[in-house]
Amino acid sequence: MVSNTLMRIVAPCWKPSVEGDSSNRGGDASGRADGLLWYKDSGNHVNGEFSMAVIQANNLLEDCSQLESGPMSLLETGPQGTFVGIYDGHGGPEAARFVNQHLFENIKTIHGAEFTSETHGMSADVINKAFLATEEAFLSLVQQQWQDKPQIASVGSCCLVGIVCSGHLYIANAGDSRAVLGRLDNKEVKAVQLSYEHNASIESVREELQSLHPDDPHIVVLKHKVWRVKGLIQISRSIGDAYLKRAEFNREPLLAKFRLPESFNKPILKAEPTISEQKLDPEDQFLIFASDGLWEHLNNQEAVDIVNNCPHGYHFTRVLQENCSKPPFVKRQRKEK
């Protein structure tokens, strides 16, 4: 059956790990498949409820999504919270799957970064160092496989992470996915964008690239009416894409279309995420985490209106099935009574 086949394909690409999850009502313990759509209507996590959906657009699913709920560190006395991850892969599934397996574990075990004493919870330092540790580990994997599988050097993943911990919300983004908050404002739920995309189509991103590479007049190139970094890729930040991080991987036997005519002595793309932190308020109703496949079809307010007007995530996934081409992830935060 198509559904069983799809379930086997997407199984490595989503990971809802929720302690005490009682979301198996309606036989929805592990989600459901319908054609190229996989979805989980509703489940519980430390900070409320969630729903999630994946829509496969290519023959090979390159993207992953993840939800972890419970301890945010290995300490028994450590903070409890919820971790959301959206990993939009390109060039292959290896980077997104690697991030899915390692980023949250690095959050919990990272050394040299401290949880904040002020909130007794998460910190931007922990998140940043976890991203960089994941990046270094994946580049080491590329090094190990370079001789037998050189094309892994062209595989990468955008990474969007949200962490709710001790009443605070942390958003970390490297790539072109987006997090949007639905906030109650004068009896209406308004969309508040919490992250911005690292995409060369945005002028500020091009300016950042030019400031980081002042001696390279071709750091961004307009190609077929689309701005691209070195004429190759639209995003300026990712995990992976080793061929634009280390010159040793930008050579044969990598495919010619990925090879630059000149060498480089500093990474062209960055792995560091931009991180924001804010205290959650009672007016904050829910969060939407999604890859660019959703935002190509819906603006922020349209997505917020759909979630706000639908009692369950299932209705939202139907809209996604009709309109979107990449896997979105929607997380609901329990509303104040």
Side-chain angles (χ1 to χ4, degrees):
M1 295 178 61
V2 174
S3 295
N4 290 336
T5 301
L6 179 63
M7 193 65 80
R8 288 196 298 271
I9 293 173
V10 304
C13 300
W14 60 274
K15 186 183 178 185
S17 176
V18 184
E19 291 194 354
D21 183 10
S22 59
S23 62
N24 59 351
R25 52 187 179 274
D28 191 36
S30 59
R32 301 178 182 182
D34 182 0
L36 294 180
L37 166 70
W38 176 91
Y39 62 92
K40 185 175 179 65
D41 280 353
S42 183
N44 295 322
H45 60 93
V46 168
N47 298 97
E49 298 176 337
F50 73 93
S51 62
M52 60 194 301
V54 177
I55 298 175
Q56 185 176 349
N58 305 314
N59 291 332
L60 179 64
L61 185 63
E62 297 178 323
D63 311 321
C64 296
S65 56
Q66 177 178 14
L67 185 142
E68 306 282 352
S69 191
M72 294 289 106
S73 74
L74 296 180
L75 300 176
E76 293 183 4
T77 58
Q80 300 281 312
T82 297
F83 173 99
V84 177
I86 297 295
Y87 315 127
D88 187 358
H90 50 265
E94 293 88 349
R97 292 181 181 180
F98 188 91
V99 176
N100 200 45
Q101 295 167 359
H102 294 89
L103 180 56
F104 178 66
E105 291 306 312
N106 285 334
I107 291 280
K108 295 180 70 173
T109 61
I110 197 72
H111 295 289
E114 299 295 333
F115 289 103
T116 61
S117 58
E118 180 181 349
T119 63
H120 303 287
M122 190 55 58
S123 75
D125 188 39
V126 170
I127 299 169
N128 187 68
K129 289 182 177 177
F131 266 72
L132 296 181
T134 306
E135 163 85 344
E136 287 303 310
F138 185 74
L139 294 184
S140 295
L141 178 66
V142 173
Q143 179 71 65
Q144 296 168 16
Q145 298 187 3
W146 171 249
Q147 293 299 326
D148 298 324
K149 191 180 178 182
Q151 298 317 313
I152 194 173
S154 63
V155 176
S157 180
C158 299
C159 300
L160 172 65
V161 163
I163 298 177
V164 180
C165 187
S166 303
H168 286 247
L169 170 65
Y170 297 82
I171 300 293
N173 187 44
D176 59 4
S177 297
R178 187 187 306 169
V180 172
L181 170 70
R183 174 176 290 162
L184 187 61
D185 181 8
N186 195 24
K187 298 183 179 180
E188 295 184 5
V189 178
K190 302 290 184 63
V192 181
Q193 186 168 325
L194 300 179
S195 64
Y196 73 88
E197 289 88 320
H198 304 112
N199 190 302
S201 64
I202 301 172
E203 185 177 2
S204 61
V205 173
R206 296 197 299 274
E207 291 174 350
E208 179 186 52
L209 285 164
Q210 290 162 350
S211 68
L212 292 172
H213 305 273
D215 298 325
D216 186 353
H218 305 296
I219 188 63
V220 286
V221 177
L222 187 61
K223 188 175 182 180
H224 304 304
K225 299 182 179 181
V226 176
W227 286 103
R228 296 182 182 274
V229 182
K230 301 299 290 183
L232 295 173
I233 192 170
Q234 286 186 267
I235 56 172
S236 64
R237 303 194 189 201
S238 69
I239 288 181
D241 294 307
Y243 74 113
L244 293 175
K245 304 282 183 62
R246 296 181 182 175
E248 64 188 281
F249 300 126
N250 200 286
R251 58 180 176 84
E252 292 184 340
L254 188 69
L255 290 176
K257 67 179 182 179
F258 295 114
R259 299 201 302 268
L260 299 176
E262 71 284 341
S263 185
F264 53 92
N265 55 21
K266 61 186 293 188
I268 294 171
L269 303 188
K270 298 173 65 175
E272 295 93 334
T274 53
I275 303 174
S276 65
E277 182 264 339
Q278 66 185 64
K279 186 176 181 180
L280 288 171
D281 295 321
E283 291 78 17
D284 298 335
Q285 303 295 291
F286 54 81
L287 295 160
I288 303 173
F289 297 89
S291 70
D292 63 319
L294 174 71
W295 306 115
E296 288 173 357
H297 297 275
L298 299 174
N299 64 38
N300 294 345
Q301 191 60 50
E302 288 172 337
V304 164
D305 289 343
I306 291 170
V307 174
N308 186 55
N309 293 326
C310 292
H312 298 289
Y314 175 77
H315 300 86
F316 191 54
T317 61
R318 284 299 181 189
V319 175
L320 300 173
Q321 187 180 32
E322 295 173 359
N323 294 287
C324 300
S325 59
K326 289 188 179 181
F329 182 102
V330 180
K331 169 180 165 288
R332 288 177 174 270
Q333 184 178 346
R334 180 171 296 139
K335 298 182 180 181
E336 295 293 329
K337 297 294 185 181

